[in-house]
Amino acid sequence: MLVSTLVFILAPFLVSSTPVNRPTSGGAAYFMTNLDDNVVVSNKISPDGKLAIACTTKTRGRGSAGVVANPGADPLFTQDSVRVSGNNLYTVNAGSNTVVMFRIDPNDPTRLTMVGNPVSSGGDFPVSIAVSEAKNMVCVLNGGEVNGVNCFKPDPQVGLLPIQGTRRSLNISQSTPPTGPAGTVSDILFSADSSKLLATVKGTPPNPGFLAAWSISNDGSLSKDFVSSTPATGGLLPFSATPIKDKNALLVTDPGAGFSVYDLSGLSVEQNKPASSSIIPVQGQKAVCWSAFSPKTGNYYLTDIGTSTVTEASVDGNLKGAVVKQYPLAANSSTIDVAIASLSSNDFLYVLSASAKSIDVLALNAPANARPIQTLKFESALKSKGITVDGNRVQGMAVFVRGS
Ligand SMILES: *[C@@H]1O[C@H](CO)[C@@H](O)[C@H](O)[C@H]1NC(C)=O
Ligand SMILES: *[C@@H]1O[C@H](CO)[C@@H](O)[C@H](O)[C@H]1NC(C)=O
């Protein structure tokens, strides 16, 4: 009795002093509720890739939704409304026209602390964020009546500081909130060498959309004008843009056809020379809109909100794209935003299945060998924390990997 009590008391010390050699990687996956009192939902990623709902953090602003003929999932019509870079998470309050910066606690990455205050996005209906660690810049894409881009310096103490000469218009004709998804902005990112800021814009059929590119000066300011690259014939609605590994190129989803591969090597803002691209149809697609890259398989994973299917795609050394395999998820679950975490054990794909109010987790074991391992339903767990979710409002997916 006495001995067992002693062991019980000492147990935590014994455990913590024993060197253990277990996989330490894990992390967190985040999305936002995007409702009036917007919050980021942090989900713990275990070393085996599985998720558990952990906590929520207020963004101190309002979410919003665009105007559509048939209300459904994907209210912002975009990718990267929640973005992780380094030990920071950035997101938008589309209904308050603000951008927010959080510090991620690397010891418990589900814990977020706001840095500074929400700052003006410099336009209407901010929807997507890009980060360049090389340039120490954070840029936001605004999609409402006052649309375009605007950039900040992320200060670890005071938060986001506006950078002069970065507020640039896309000059598209839109309302606030915007009417879409046709004719709305989609995604923002930096080129691989951080020399250019890029944004995708959907067309209004029959007119195709475009990829906008601004050059970035040494002082961080953007070129006054952007060069516009329209997709190859068949391309219509440039949506998410994912850099192609080791290339100056992008995979751009297109719900009008499948996806495009953009070769940026001939793109010049100074000489007003657009990028060239090729279109790869995805048979049976309804709306392939989101994409992420897996370092482990070397392939890209695209989600279709219309068919609730994940499409695995490859892009070869000559920038030729192909469909590798498709993985249907639950019918009508409305698969939207995606992110991939590279843990020490494997790569894992996290899919926000908005209408099902769940996150689907797929283990990316090898090319053409993704395997669903979990469907995390989040509505009731969040309700018990006093947080409401609406499948037509949730948006975003981003991951932080510990010890990476
Ligand atoms: C903006 O768009 C309007 C209408 O389409 C056009 O007349 C104007 O020249 C454009 N401005 C710029 C700076 O591109
Ligand atoms: C999915 O939605 C369609 C259209 O609303 C409906 O006809 C179909 O029965 C639904 N399928 C499932 C499995 O819920």
Side-chain angles (χ1 to χ4, degrees):
M1 176 77 178
L2 185 66
V3 171
S4 66
T5 305
L6 201 62
V7 169
F8 176 73
I9 291 166
L10 286 174
F13 302 98
L14 293 172
V15 169
S16 65
S17 63
T18 308
V20 280
N21 196 7
R22 61 189 152 78
T24 52
S25 86
Y30 317 90
F31 68 92
M32 64 170 160
T33 59
N34 187 38
L35 286 166
D36 283 351
D37 192 5
N38 192 15
V39 303
V40 174
V41 178
S42 298
N43 305 278
K44 181 177 189 281
I45 301 178
S46 294
D48 63 2
K50 290 191 178 161
L51 291 179
I53 294 159
C55 58
T56 63
T57 311
K58 284 181 187 289
T59 62
R60 291 165 55 194
R62 289 187 307 278
S64 190
V67 179
V68 281
N70 301 303
D74 180 33
L76 304 181
F77 317 125
T78 63
Q79 176 158 305
D80 295 314
S81 56
V82 179
R83 178 82 89 163
V84 167
S85 184
N87 282 358
N88 293 108
L89 179 146
Y90 305 89
T91 191
V92 288
N93 290 311
S96 307
N97 300 333
T98 56
V99 186
V100 290
M101 171 179 177
F102 293 95
R103 185 168 43 251
I104 299 169
D105 179 348
N107 295 315
D108 177 0
T110 63
R111 292 178 50 135
L112 304 174
T113 309
M114 193 177 289
V115 185
N117 294 305
V119 297
S120 167
S121 69
D124 297 333
F125 205 75
V127 288
S128 183
I129 301 270
V131 184
S132 167
E133 295 286 341
K135 283 267 196 298
N136 194 30
M137 282 172 79
V138 174
C139 300
V140 63
L141 179 62
N142 289 299
E145 186 176 351
V146 179
N147 53 73
V149 298
N150 190 32
C151 303
F152 308 87
K153 197 164 278 302
D155 182 283
Q157 261 70 49
V158 297
L160 296 164
L161 301 168
I163 303 174
Q164 297 304 308
T166 61
R167 198 172 145 185
R168 297 289 181 257
S169 176
L170 271 164
N171 199 33
I172 56 174
S173 175
Q174 260 301 355
S175 51
T176 303
T179 303
T184 60
V185 303
S186 307
D187 201 0
I188 186 170
L189 74 166
F190 286 84
S191 60
D193 64 0
S194 283
S195 68
K196 294 179 188 72
L197 182 66
L198 309 164
T200 45
V201 180
K202 300 168 208 77
T204 304
N207 301 316
F210 59 94
L211 172 78
W214 292 264
S215 59
I216 307 171
S217 303
N218 288 335
D219 66 0
S221 64
L222 303 181
S223 54
K224 217 164 151 289
D225 298 314
F226 63 86
V227 59
S228 172
S229 307
T230 49
T233 305
L236 203 55
L237 305 159
F239 205 106
S240 69
T242 296
I244 291 173
K245 187 184 189 290
D246 299 333
K247 297 279 182 188
N248 189 13
L250 300 174
L251 183 150
V252 176
T253 54
D254 189 325
F259 67 97
S260 290
V261 176
Y262 271 84
D263 181 353
L264 305 182
S265 59
L267 173 69
S268 168
V269 180
E270 290 68 30
Q271 296 167 45
N272 196 28
K273 274 168 56 184
S276 59
S277 66
S278 58
I279 188 98
I280 297 90
V282 173
Q283 298 306 325
Q285 75 99 29
K286 283 188 181 160
V288 173
C289 297
W290 294 267
S291 54
F293 173 71
S294 164
K296 175 160 185 190
T297 68
N299 285 339
Y300 303 80
Y301 296 82
L302 286 42
T303 49
D304 183 328
I305 185 177
T307 62
S308 297
T309 292
V310 174
T311 295
E312 180 176 346
S314 64
V315 179
D316 73 11
N318 297 318
L319 297 182
K320 191 172 169 0
V323 172
V324 173
K325 194 170 175 179
Q326 293 192 298
Y327 310 89
L329 299 183
N332 299 342
S333 58
S334 307
T335 52
I336 60 170
D337 296 82
V338 289
I340 289 174
S342 294
L343 306 187
S344 57
S345 56
N346 204 355
D347 276 11
F348 295 92
L349 174 70
Y350 299 93
V351 180
L352 183 60
S353 297
S355 297
K357 296 175 190 165
S358 61
I359 301 173
D360 283 293
V361 186
L362 283 80
L364 306 179
N365 302 303
N369 194 16
R371 191 168 56 86
I373 60 165
Q374 185 188 17
T375 296
L376 177 82
K377 296 229 171 234
F378 50 72
E379 185 175 30
S380 62
L382 289 172
K383 195 173 179 188
S384 70
K385 293 177 188 291
I387 301 291
T388 305
V389 285
D390 178 339
N392 290 355
R393 291 298 285 269
V394 292
Q395 192 92 68
M397 183 57 65
V399 295
F400 175 88
V401 175
R402 196 162 47 190
S404 59

